[in-house]
Amino acid sequence: MTKARVGILALQGDFALHQAKFARLGANVTLVKTTNELSQIDRLVIPGGESTTMQLLMDRFGLRQPVIAFGKEKPTWGTCAGLILLAREVDNPLIRPLGLIDIKAKRNAYGRQVDSFIADGTVTFDQTSSTLEMVFIRAPKIIGYADSVMPLGYCDGDVVVARQDNILVTSFHPELTDQTIVHKYFLEM
């Protein structure tokens, strides 16, 4: 397995489970809270959490522009709230997304916390399709995307995994299941 230096944005949200899963896969993991820590990694995960809080903290700690610059060159993956932050456009004016993937995202598209659910979906990585258990918690929906964005996963007809160049997004939480297929795919990007 890769010896990639994976950074997980650790300002708020669900970073610890990503950290444990990458460590289990043999990756070197750094929790990123500063620009210095960002400069020491090969790839970055923006985890699930509260997108408005996460963007506020990114701005407060001076991470917005460095994360944009990082994402233009190196593999970057956003899960749930991370998808919202990486999007080109979001349906909520309170969010100033980073604009790293040409998608339009709708926040909380599947409902509130009490509407959270688990469903089986499919992903296709490197021409191999797999069925995955997908956990949706106040999940965003991809409601539009450019031709340059590759849909890689579906659940009930919705695109729930997409990639454009070195940017990967998932609207669900792969870190909340025992499956490692998405984490492995990200390590090989």
Side-chain angles (χ1 to χ4, degrees):
M1 186 50 64
T2 182
K3 285 298 177 189
R5 296 173 298 165
V6 179
I8 305 169
L9 193 65
L11 301 176
Q12 188 269 340
D14 192 16
F15 53 84
L17 290 174
H18 277 295
Q19 179 184 25
K21 190 161 280 193
F22 281 118
R24 200 172 95 202
L25 293 173
N28 296 317
V29 182
T30 298
L31 296 180
V32 174
K33 295 179 182 174
T34 67
T35 55
N36 184 49
E37 290 161 342
L38 186 65
S39 70
Q40 298 173 24
I41 59 173
D42 302 318
R43 50 199 70 225
L44 176 68
V45 176
I46 301 177
E50 171 51 46
S51 56
T52 52
T53 301
M54 222 181 294
Q55 80 167 356
L56 176 74
L57 293 172
M58 285 177 65
D59 290 341
R60 182 172 295 164
F61 291 104
L63 283 165
R64 173 177 289 273
Q65 290 307 320
V67 167
I68 291 172
F70 184 95
K72 287 180 177 178
E73 295 186 7
K74 298 180 181 176
T76 303
W77 173 20
T79 61
C80 196
L83 176 152
I84 294 167
L85 292 173
L86 289 175
R88 172 84 51 216
E89 185 178 351
V90 178
D91 71 329
N92 186 318
L94 296 176
I95 301 294
R96 292 184 308 117
L98 303 175
L100 289 168
I101 182 168
D102 283 329
I103 62 170
K104 181 175 182 180
K106 179 178 174 71
R107 291 178 75 221
N108 303 328
Y110 295 95
R112 302 178 331 166
Q113 191 87 13
V114 296
D115 301 312
S116 301
F117 64 98
I118 299 172
D120 285 341
T122 59
V123 296
T124 303
F125 294 144
D126 302 320
Q127 302 179 346
T128 301
S129 294
S130 305
T131 298
L132 281 185
E133 182 178 72
M134 299 176 174
V135 179
F136 295 85
I137 303 171
R138 294 178 55 209
K141 189 178 280 191
I142 297 171
I143 56 174
Y145 57 90
D147 290 343
S148 55
V149 174
M150 295 183 300
L152 297 174
Y154 296 89
C155 186
D156 291 332
D158 293 329
V159 174
V160 295
V161 184
R163 177 178 177 179
Q164 183 179 34
D165 301 321
N166 55 307
I167 304 296
L168 178 70
V169 292
T170 54
S171 57
F172 60 97
H173 290 267
E175 75 281 9
L176 291 177
T177 69
D178 289 335
Q179 296 159 322
T180 57
I181 187 169
V182 185
H183 289 77
K184 285 180 181 174
Y185 178 76
F186 180 65
L187 288 176
E188 294 166 2
M189 283 177 55

